[in-house]
Amino acid sequence: MAVTINADALGTAIGADATTAARLLRVASEIVTRYAPDAPDAIQDEAVIRVAGWLRDSPSAGILQRRVGEREYALHRPTLTSALRSSGAMSLLRPYRSVGAGVCG
């Protein structure tokens, strides 16, 4: 199976310009296909959209600045962990993930 979504469709789905969409498509596709290479195309495409959207919107630091009216807040986000987990893509891909057995003993 393979990711079939293109940069134009991804950009439309996540509201990104062409350059950002192309960059995120490469990153998200790699993350998704490494996690569940045998997932159906439609599932991989949706997972790529979710991961790319999460990466686009996530801050690069653990502190997020927000303004509400005249007040400004600093939100601490200690849960900046996995793009797969945080975006919801992991739950889509999990049924297709191959988990090998280890050697015991």
Side-chain angles (χ1 to χ4, degrees):
M1 308 288 168
V3 173
T4 61
I5 192 168
N6 62 35
D8 291 333
L10 179 62
T12 300
I14 66 171
D17 61 74
T19 303
T20 302
R23 178 177 53 84
L24 291 175
L25 176 60
R26 289 190 304 273
V27 172
S29 294
E30 184 66 24
I31 290 169
V32 166
T33 56
R34 278 184 180 238
Y35 185 77
D38 296 328
D41 297 349
I43 300 294
Q44 284 189 345
D45 288 350
E46 180 61 27
V48 164
I49 290 168
R50 289 175 183 229
V51 169
W54 186 88
L55 289 171
R56 179 181 176 270
D57 293 339
S58 67
S60 58
I63 298 175
L64 181 65
Q65 298 287 335
R66 287 287 187 243
R67 178 176 288 281
V68 178
E70 295 181 12
R71 293 187 172 257
E72 187 168 324
Y73 299 93
L75 305 172
H76 298 276
R77 296 180 56 176
T79 57
L80 284 176
T81 55
S82 166
L84 275 171
R85 184 179 310 279
S86 297
S87 69
M90 185 179 281
S91 63
L92 290 174
L93 296 168
R94 188 171 304 267
Y96 307 99
R97 179 158 167 84
S98 299
V99 180
V103 176
C104 296

